């Protein structure tokens, strides 16, 4: 085997190992790999957060997806109870977008507007954990 093909084989093996490690739930490597395609965290100003249409978008996503783990009113579910008052919108967006521990990333499932809507809904008076 030539030196070049040995290096190529080693690179493929390394990529497979990294992919395998990245697939494991909760690993720091998985979160780093997920963030490799980072998008800027949007600004959540008062006008956006109080807009009824944005809140409605998030409410629909919550009802169709999030409540399955967080519960119909965010509790009891198999995921932790949410305490929106102690969470910044940017923090919620990051968790929804990139996941955390057993929570999967939703970046490739929901549009940017849907993920931002989830933030607006969770932080709204309509959301009751």
């Amino acid at each position: 085997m030539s030196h070049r093909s040995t290096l190529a084989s080693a690179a493929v093996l390394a990529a497979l190992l990294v992919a395998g490690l990245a697939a494991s739930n909760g690993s720091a490597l998985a979160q780093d790999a997920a963030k490799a395609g980072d998008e800027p965290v949007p600004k959540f100003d008062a006008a956006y957060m109080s807009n009824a249409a944005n809140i409605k978008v998030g409410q629909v996503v919550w009802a169709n997806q999030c409540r399955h783990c967080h519960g119909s009113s965010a509790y009891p579910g198999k995921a932790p109870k949410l305490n929106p008052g102690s969470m910044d919108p940017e923090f919620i967006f990051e968790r929804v977008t990139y996941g955390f521990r057993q929570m999967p990333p939703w970046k490739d499932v929901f549009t940017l507007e849907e993920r931002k809507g989830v933030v607006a809904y969770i932080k709204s008076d309509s959301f009751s954990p």
Side-chain angles (χ1 to χ4, degrees):
M1 186 178 268
S2 73
H3 179 68
R4 179 172 277 168
S5 64
T6 301
L7 287 175
S9 296
V12 168
L13 180 58
L16 289 172
L17 286 171
V18 168
L21 287 172
S24 64
N25 281 337
S27 76
L29 187 53
Q31 291 183 14
D32 289 344
K35 288 189 175 188
D38 274 358
E39 64 187 20
V41 175
K43 297 294 181 203
F44 293 98
D45 61 17
Y48 181 87
M49 296 297 286
S50 63
N51 182 295
N54 298 333
I55 293 168
K56 182 65 176 173
V57 167
Q59 185 177 21
V60 169
V61 172
W62 178 272
N64 291 328
Q65 184 61 54
C66 308
R67 72 176 180 85
H68 298 299
C69 293
H70 289 280
S72 62
S73 294
Y75 193 77
K78 61 185 173 183
K81 180 178 181 178
L82 300 182
N83 184 3
S86 68
M87 296 184 286
D88 292 329
E90 295 79 13
F91 174 82
I92 298 169
F93 179 82
E94 290 250 344
R95 290 292 169 93
V96 169
T97 299
Y98 301 111
F100 181 73
R101 294 187 182 154
Q102 286 81 25
M103 181 175 157
W106 297 105
K107 180 180 180 186
D108 295 332
V109 177
F110 297 111
T111 67
L112 174 61
E113 287 308 313
E114 288 171 322
R115 290 179 280 128
K116 288 170 53 180
V118 168
V119 174
Y121 175 60
I122 289 172
K123 293 295 286 182
S124 76
D125 291 337
S126 302
F127 185 77
S128 175

